[in-house]
Amino acid sequence: MRLGVPKEIKDHEYRVGLTPGSVRELAADGHELLVQAGAGAEIGFSDEDYRAAGATIAGSAEDVFAMAEMIVKVKEPQPTECRRLRPGQLIFTYLHLAPDPEQARLLMESGCTAIAYETVTDRQGRLPLLAPMSEIAGRMAIQVGATALHKSAGGSGVLLGGVPGVLPGKVLVIGGGVVGANAARMAMGLGADVVIADRSMPRLAQLDDQFGPRLKTVYASADALDRLVADADLVIGAVLVVGAAAPKLVSRGQLGRMRRGSVLVDVAIDQGGCFETSHATTHSDPTYVVDGIVHYCVANMPGAVARTSTQALNHATLPFVQALAGKGWRRALAEDGHLRDGLNVHDGRITHPAVAEALGHPFHDPQALLGV
């Protein structure tokens, strides 16, 4: 198969769909690799590195999209990229379609087959292609939140770790999944007073066993969240409903009970955000203030540490890329129900139930499309 890797064009997005190491593996499998010039240059992967690994360097994104049978990206295709897709072409990337009806419409109109990293599952019901970026985003959430608390950044001037004689800052993490656990780990490492709230008692028990008494765990009832949000210096939104829009768990009214200069970091912003006052921001302009509360809602947080993120993502995605390229997407999806869970759009139809529900489109069962 001929695989294409375009340069990412989202604001300050320096990750790349395939590393030279992944290209080498795929070339050894007998596939053709077409990589846009400069696709990995910002994170130390030169065009010569890609040539040495077995790729051909394309001069433009138009060439990559025109010639490739399968596009491998990182972030959701932007409108200009969607318009370059064609019937029968496969794209494998993060999509996050639930809060993005325009992207969904363009993908459907293109006639392409779109498989989303974030809805591929494994035998334990986990999300193996979302997990590495969730780990990074969770850890970054504390870094960016701590910086946003600086007075120079509009924050309240609280040092999360405190100092002798001064209490540490209070961090509330809403959601105990991969993002939440990594955020809690980082916050505790800084010495903050950390509470993690979730609605799964088994998950809270796991977190209690994992971190011990340094981490406080709370069942995420509306009453508990109301009290905890009001008391927090930094709130991390880390909730996820697979394929669907994130629930709104903090209302604008609750902001009025927080200390001025407190910070919200919405890691769920890719799925629409879990705070009522959230809207997507960029690395160029990452924060804004509502009712005195600083909001950080960058939709591609791991892009800030693009070299680490690209390597971690490729470790997870490469086996799936190999399966899709080696078997063809129909056979690969027919043989692997977990990879089939990643199919979001095919031939103008929505093929993931949560995405269809969020967008108000009919759901088309991928098993019926594949005849399995």
Side-chain angles (χ1 to χ4, degrees), residues 165-183:
V166 180
L167 291 172
K170 294 182 178 182
V171 177
L172 169 63
V173 181
I174 306 176
V178 177
V179 170
N182 279 272

Side-chain angles (χ1 to χ4, degrees), residues 5 24 28 89 115 123 134-135 144 147 178 187 205 218 239 276 286 315-316 318 321 344:
V5 182
R24 181 177 178 179
Q89 192 171 40
I115 301 176
R123 292 179 181 176
S134 295
E135 291 167 352
V144 299
T147 300
V178 177
V218 175
V239 299
E276 182 185 0
H315 296 159
L318 179 59
V321 175
N344 279 208

Side-chain angles (χ1 to χ4, degrees), residues 22 50 79 81 142 161 172 187 205 241-242 283 306 369:
S22 294
Y50 280 107
E81 295 174 312
I142 301 303
L172 169 63
V241 180
V242 180
H283 289 294
L369 295 175

Side-chain angles (χ1 to χ4, degrees), residues 33-353:
L33 283 302
L34 191 65
V35 178
Q36 185 180 345
E42 294 287 350
I43 54 174
F45 301 138
S46 70
D47 290 347
E48 186 52 43
D49 291 333
Y50 280 107
R51 286 193 188 94
T56 298
I57 302 303
S60 68
E62 290 89 341
D63 291 339
V64 173
F65 279 86
M67 298 175 66
E69 299 167 82
M70 174 179 173
I71 299 293
V72 183
K73 278 177 43 63
V74 178
K75 287 306 293 175
E76 68 278 358
Q78 303 302 293
T80 54
E81 295 174 312
C82 288
R83 295 185 180 99
R84 291 176 180 141
L85 294 167
R86 62 181 184 273
Q89 192 171 40
L90 175 64
I91 181 168
F92 192 35
T93 188
Y94 288 115
L95 293 176
H96 300 292
L97 289 176
D100 194 350
E102 176 66 7
Q103 183 200 168
R105 181 183 66 81
L106 290 171
L107 289 176
M108 293 168 71
E109 289 177 355
S110 76
C112 77
T113 297
I115 301 176
Y117 294 158
E118 73 273 8
T119 61
V120 173
T121 59
D122 65 15
R123 292 179 181 176
Q124 290 75 40
R126 298 172 303 196
L127 305 171
L129 305 189
L130 188 61
M133 297 304 96
S134 295
E135 291 167 352
I136 290 169
R139 297 181 185 206
M140 283 188 63
I142 301 303
Q143 292 182 190
V144 299
T147 300
L149 281 167
H150 295 176
K151 283 299 295 181
S152 59
S156 62
V158 168
L159 179 67
L160 284 182
V163 292
V166 180
L167 291 172
K170 294 182 178 182
V171 177
L172 169 63
V173 181
I174 306 176
V178 177
V179 170
N182 279 272
R185 181 190 297 276
M186 290 292 285
M188 287 187 293
L190 290 176
D193 181 355
V194 184
V195 177
I196 194 162
D198 198 282
R199 285 185 174 267
S200 168
M201 289 304 298
R203 181 55 180 160
L204 292 177
Q206 290 175 340
L207 291 166
D208 187 72
D209 288 341
Q210 180 179 357
F211 293 111
R214 289 188 59 202
L215 177 65
K216 303 177 182 71
T217 59
V218 175
Y219 182 78
S221 66
D223 182 65
L225 288 181
D226 198 46
R227 289 183 287 104
L228 290 166
V229 167
D231 197 38
D233 297 296
L234 170 61
V235 180
I236 308 296
V239 299
L240 174 68
V241 180
V242 180
K248 306 300 182 186
L249 299 178
V250 176
S251 69
R252 181 164 189 171
Q254 288 172 292
L255 303 189
R257 296 189 287 278
M258 299 179 73
R259 181 189 297 111
R260 303 301 84 183
S262 296
V263 175
L264 304 180
V265 177
D266 197 339
V267 187
I269 195 63
D270 275 325
Q271 294 294 128
C274 61
F275 307 135
E276 182 185 0
T277 46
S278 291
H279 63 76
T281 60
T282 66
H283 289 294
S284 295
D285 189 14
T287 63
Y288 59 94
V289 178
V290 177
D291 297 342
I293 306 304
V294 181
H295 292 57
Y296 180 102
C297 303
V298 174
N300 59 327
M301 286 177 64
V305 288
R307 187 175 176 89
T308 296
S309 297
T310 294
Q311 291 170 322
L313 181 61
N314 269 240
H315 296 159
T317 58
L318 179 59
F320 294 95
V321 175
Q322 289 176 305
L324 290 164
K327 299 176 180 179
W329 71 267
R330 286 184 177 275
R331 180 182 162 199
L333 267 58
E335 294 180 357
D336 185 347
H338 301 295
L339 181 55
R340 189 164 62 244
D341 287 340
L343 186 64
N344 279 208
V345 179
H346 170 64
D347 193 23
R349 292 168 285 187
I350 300 294
T351 53
H352 191 283

